Amino acid sequence: MLRFAFAFALMSSAATAQVATLSGTDGQNSLGTVPCAVSAGDPLKSCNAELRRRDDGTATLAVGLGNGEVRNIYFTNGVPDSSSSTSRLSYETRGDILVIFIEPGEVYELPKAALSTQ
């Protein structure tokens, strides 16, 4: 049963827009796309993603990088705290969007509402 579905338009620049979509699959896990860039200087593109929430307040965002690899980003209480990369992770909030950076040039955008408990 679909417990929630939403689409959220994101502006990556004044000229282009990216869309993040997450559609509930079982009320806890979600499938969809998120805007991402996997190399420094790349424009944002739609990347397949799965958001897996757990009852303990943690979550994992698995993002397909388009080359057969998957980047896992781990959250605790809605805050990204590590990833499957050994590189440094940082983030910032831009309005209702969580922008996650993994050095040297990976960027992921996720609506903060996607991480809230249902």
Side-chain angles (χ1 to χ4, degrees), residues 1 6 11-12 17 32-33 36 40 43 46 51 54 62 66 68 82 93-95 108:
M1 175 178 183
F6 65 90
M11 294 302 292
S12 60
T33 61
C36 78
S46 289
L51 181 62
R54 288 179 271 313
S82 63
T93 301
R94 296 179 185 164
Y108 305 90

Side-chain angles (χ1 to χ4, degrees), residues 60-110:
T60 301
L61 177 67
V63 181
L65 301 181
N67 59 2
E69 290 185 65
V70 174
R71 174 69 64 231
N72 290 309
I73 302 171
Y74 307 105
F75 297 82
T76 302
N77 297 320
V79 176
D81 53 18
S82 63
S83 79
S84 58
S85 173
T86 57
S87 297
R88 182 176 177 269
L89 178 142
S90 61
Y91 71 95
E92 63 184 45
T93 301
R94 296 179 185 164
D96 293 334
I97 305 301
L98 193 60
V99 183
I100 302 160
F101 305 95
I102 299 176
E103 293 181 1
E106 294 177 34
V107 179
Y108 305 90
E109 293 186 354
L110 184 66

